[in-house]
Amino acid sequence: MAGTVKLRGIAGQQAGTAVKNLKIGDVLVWNYGYTDEVVELIPSKTGKTITAMLKSHQDGQIRSRKMGAERLVVVA
């Protein structure tokens, strides 16, 4: 199924959104239901990758995560 993501610990397929379409304030869902809020998006010079600054809802820490622009992630 194109455009869907299977997350561990969450039943069924979830609709995916490309990283390049994310906006500040979006809440991302990861395996086992962990969530992060997008604080900042930093595209590379070529635009092929994007570094997302994500604030964890579990511990409040802000971490960077570099992902391909076409990668599908689940937005809550």
Side-chain angles (χ1 to χ4, degrees):
M1 297 172 76
T4 62
V5 178
K6 172 65 179 121
L7 295 176
R8 288 183 173 211
I10 298 177
Q13 297 281 329
Q14 307 295 317
T17 302
V19 172
K20 66 182 179 183
N21 296 328
L22 292 177
K23 298 178 288 297
I24 292 174
D26 282 347
V27 175
L28 304 182
V29 181
W30 305 104
N31 290 329
Y32 305 107
Y34 290 103
T35 56
D36 292 329
E37 182 178 343
V38 177
V39 177
E40 185 179 1
L41 296 167
I42 307 164
S44 66
K45 289 181 182 179
T46 62
K48 290 183 180 179
T49 62
I50 295 174
T51 301
M53 301 302 290
L54 304 170
K55 181 177 181 181
S56 170
H57 285 172
Q58 281 64 42
D59 61 13
Q61 293 289 319
I62 295 177
R63 297 178 178 88
S64 65
R65 186 167 188 154
K66 187 175 183 179
M67 300 175 275
E70 299 296 327
R71 176 182 172 163
L72 295 179
V73 293
V74 177
V75 177

